[in-house]
Amino acid sequence: MNIRGGNMTENKRKTTTSTAVKRRYNQKTYTVISASLPKELAAAFKAKCAAENVSQAHVIKKAVERFLAE
């Protein structure tokens, strides 16, 4: 038993292997693009994404797709 009263198998397992695999996959599959925005603009963007329950990455990806389709 551990300090919390359960046995060790009931607690979350360490997932360093899974994390490493996901990190390698993401590095192979994706490219990170960053932008510096004024703090007010970034805060408004984050707030609207949260209010609409949409990921920031999704909004940016759609904007890039629209731009490339022009």
Side-chain angles (χ1 to χ4, degrees):
M1 283 200 156
N2 68 12
I3 296 172
R4 293 188 177 113
N7 65 31
M8 294 300 281
T9 58
E10 291 177 7
N11 293 332
K12 277 189 168 181
R13 292 182 296 146
K14 291 186 179 185
T15 58
T16 53
T17 303
S18 291
T19 301
V21 170
K22 289 175 190 176
R23 182 182 43 76
R24 282 195 308 270
Y25 172 79
N26 286 338
Q27 287 178 332
K28 180 174 66 173
T29 307
Y30 298 102
T31 297
V32 175
I33 298 175
S34 66
S36 296
L37 302 172
K39 288 185 179 198
E40 298 79 22
L41 182 61
F45 174 64
K46 289 178 180 184
K48 184 167 182 173
C49 286
E52 295 185 10
N53 197 29
V54 63
S55 75
Q56 296 169 32
H58 176 76
V59 174
I60 293 167
K61 180 181 175 202
K62 289 298 180 188
V64 170
E65 289 171 346
R66 281 194 302 272
F67 177 74
L68 292 174
E70 291 177 351

